Amino acid sequence: MVSFPARIITSFRAIAQRSELGRRVKDAAVATQVPDLAPLWQQQAQAASGWQHFQKQDFLRLQQQFGVNWIIVQAPGVDGLDCPYSNETVAVCRL
């Protein structure tokens, strides 16, 4: 969910061995091409809307609804979450 203009990551999701919630902008074309995916995509995109302002309870809701177990957020992370990996830009937090 994090986007940084200075970095270009080409098809990261295609080569990563992990899942990611559907994104409103990036995945809209896929939802139109594969209509069976559209309801799940819409659910996930709505649930993650406004994630930049989420607190611990919001991320825990994503965990309960969609099985999210790790998040990448702007450093220093989210109060109350275990963020074992971080640098000056991002924090990787376990739910």
Side-chain angles (χ1 to χ4, degrees):
M1 290 185 170
V2 177
S3 175
F4 297 100
R7 300 185 186 225
I8 299 172
I9 302 173
T10 305
S11 301
F12 176 74
R13 194 176 345 189
I15 60 172
Q17 292 183 359
R18 52 99 176 124
S19 61
E20 182 178 330
L21 289 180
R23 291 187 188 181
R24 201 171 290 286
V25 174
K26 281 187 143 186
D27 300 319
V30 173
T32 63
Q33 298 300 313
V34 185
D36 290 346
L37 294 177
L40 180 58
W41 163 77
Q42 186 174 24
Q43 252 186 338
Q44 292 180 356
Q46 280 183 320
S49 180
W51 68 268
Q52 300 91 332
H53 307 289
F54 278 14
Q55 299 299 313
K56 178 181 177 179
Q57 68 273 11
D58 301 303
F59 288 114
L60 292 176
R61 177 180 46 81
L62 293 180
Q63 180 186 43
Q64 184 178 32
Q65 286 181 298
F66 304 107
V68 173
N69 51 20
W70 289 90
I71 59 171
I72 302 172
V73 293
Q74 189 170 357
V78 177
D79 286 341
L81 292 182
D82 175 29
C83 303
Y85 310 104
S86 64
N87 61 27
E88 65 280 349
T89 307
V90 298
V92 180
C93 306
R94 183 185 350 237
L95 298 177

